[in-house]
Amino acid sequence: MIFEQIFNMINVGLVVLDADLRVRHWNRWMELHSGISAESIVGEPIFSFYPDLNNPKFIRNCKAVLKFGNFAFFSQKLHSYLFPLKPASSFGHKFNNMQQGCTMGPLRDQDNIIRHLYISVQDVTEVVAYEQKLVAMNMQDGLTGVYNRRFLEGKLKEEFGRHKRYARPFGVIMCDIDFFKKVNDTYGHQCGDQVLKYVAATIQKLIRDTDYLARYGGEEFCCLLPEADLEAARKLAERLRQGVARGKTSCGDQEVEVTVSFGVAAVGPAIETPETLLALADQALYEAKRAGRNRVVVCPD
Amino acid sequence: MDMAPEQILSQEEKDILQEIMNIAFGRASADLAEVIDIYVELSVPFVQTIRAVDLPAYITAELRNHEMISVVEQGYLGRFRGMALLVFPAGAGRELFSLLGDGGDVSSNGLSMAVMEKETLMEVGNILIGACVGKVAELLDDLVTYSPPRITVEEHSGNAVGADLFEQGSMATVMRTVFSFQNRDINGYFFLINSSESFQWLKKALYLFLEKYA
């Protein structure tokens, strides 16, 4: 009597299936979130209502539970969910379905014989939403939305190793906004932020999906270009330079013209470490600044 | 509790436990084949009592031939209680994934191959551990529940098994077997590390088993 009440009041989905995988019990939580009443589903095969569960993995786990008394765990990370239910929390708008952590286990009769299995369903949507946000925050620059330096450094190492191993081309562009301090001093820091966003967005639009753009420092950005040799990287840098210079951004009613200087480098036999590659691009960027800004300089091979 | 290892289980008790494991694993592999088409051979088990602090070093020594390994660990909880470790050599996830043959959903759900391999190892580990531990417990007239499995993927064998897994100062029975999947070049090790709190019960259960079957 008490347990029956708990079964229906607990904030967890509980389902009991028999050995033929027909539904025996379907608690109130499942009714609420699935929109399927216990009355209509009890006695029916679970697959009639949830045909996607009819897959080798789910069946294998059911058999292991019924035959061996195993417990089976369906983690959100790997499965996202077991039952396609509508997300219930306010975090749900990011997901098509409620994210679930599910457990399956054996239920025995008085003689210890396994006659049924239970599935518990826990709503973990909120946790997953927070987790995704944390992961994104860990990779992203808060202001511009492009990758941050931490992400870039990890990626640089990874890509450098890969391109060295397979002797594939790999290019890097370092860029720096010209006279950024003057923008800040003249128009204020809010305008400076606007300029940073404009430059990041313009570059992001012009690079390929496979390239990585990161904010490297204050007004410095860096692009990693897998499969791009020095010439391809130079051409892209030139397009980026023109793209930024052609466009305009505005702060309030003030129109601001922005230019950017670029330094380009690519992996070659003499470059042993990712740090060297980045340092060479940085040297080229310094040359571009010295030669008058708003230009692309390529580091010699 | 400062007992010498040999005082914990006598040679006779170890022999009974070994026999129980042998029967249990035989039944487990028969059931696995019949019920879920997983064909696994488990070697004659080896039972040893050692101090918990020595376990990581012991396991590392056992695995010295494998540079990189994946470990599935899962606690089991009944009167028979402890930790099960299933150790796979690197690359086993790929082999098992192709063996189980429901790979259609790799691209459709956007999961990477690495995630699918990890999932396969965890699922197979969970099933294998459940089947084997369940049968041992059954022969000892016990019922066990399990904690969710945890997995360490492709680590150097020296780091894969942490010392913090086991209570300090306690003793453990290590039950080791080598398993291989039929027709596939996948083999690994299976350790059952029985915690010292269940020793008193275990001793009694072993003799009860003997009375029933001997």
Side-chain angles (χ1 to χ4, degrees), chain B residues 66-84:
Chain B
H66 300 283
E67 202 192 335
M68 302 289 270
I69 55 172
S70 299
V71 181
V72 181
E73 57 172 83
Q74 191 164 22
Y76 53 93
L77 196 69
R79 282 172 298 175
F80 180 61
R81 65 176 58 180
M83 179 71 76

Side-chain angles (χ1 to χ4, degrees), chain A residues 184-199:
Chain A
N184 271 333
D185 291 347
T186 314
Y187 305 104
H189 283 91
Q190 273 180 329
C191 181
D193 287 353
Q194 186 57 41
V195 167
L196 284 166
K197 282 192 210 170
Y198 160 72
V199 170

